Amino acid sequence: MDDVITVIKDQIAKNPVLLYMKGTPQFPQCGFSAQVVEAMTNVGKPFAYVNILEAPEIRQNLKEFANWPTFPQLWISGELVGGCDIVMEMYRSGQLKELVEGAAVEGDA
């Protein structure tokens, strides 16, 4: 389990904007993941993703690591932003774009 947590921490540290989702951005495997991908695509900045359906050990351990039981999970600048409801609310208010753009600039520095 420690190895999996190390992998998760590494993924979060190396990717300023990271989405843990079911499926891929091109082929989401659940409606919630599809909504978040659409919002992220509309923001217009690149983001990394992990398909948790292909990584069951990450899927299980991330729930405990993040203390967040559901997917998708959006991480920005090393912090858990939240799941679909929170991301969609932030997208509609414009907060998501600001947060992602700030992380993209940070990541480029």
Side-chain angles (χ1 to χ4, degrees):
M1 178 176 151
D2 289 343
D3 291 345
V4 176
I5 296 298
T6 301
V7 168
I8 291 169
K9 286 179 179 178
D10 195 46
Q11 290 170 337
I12 293 167
K14 286 183 176 172
N15 296 288
V17 182
L18 177 61
L19 179 62
Y20 287 96
M21 62 178 293
K22 294 179 180 176
T24 67
Q26 296 76 23
F27 193 65
Q29 297 285 296
C30 85
F32 298 118
S33 290
Q35 286 181 54
V36 172
V37 165
E38 185 176 346
M40 293 300 295
T41 302
N42 289 338
V43 164
K45 295 288 180 188
F47 62 95
Y49 73 92
V50 174
N51 179 355
I52 59 159
L53 298 178
E54 292 180 353
E57 67 287 350
I58 289 177
R59 181 181 186 174
Q60 190 52 47
N61 286 284
L62 185 61
K63 288 179 183 184
E64 293 167 29
F65 174 76
N67 198 22
W68 193 269
T70 59
F71 293 96
Q73 289 184 13
L74 180 63
W75 292 74
I76 299 178
S77 300
E79 300 289 324
L80 175 62
V81 173
C84 183
D85 291 347
I86 292 170
V87 170
M88 295 312 293
E89 189 176 306
M90 290 177 71
Y91 171 67
R92 287 189 286 272
S93 75
Q95 277 183 295
L96 183 65
K97 184 176 175 83
E98 289 175 26
L99 206 53
V100 169
E101 287 177 348
V105 168
E106 251 176 53
D108 293 341

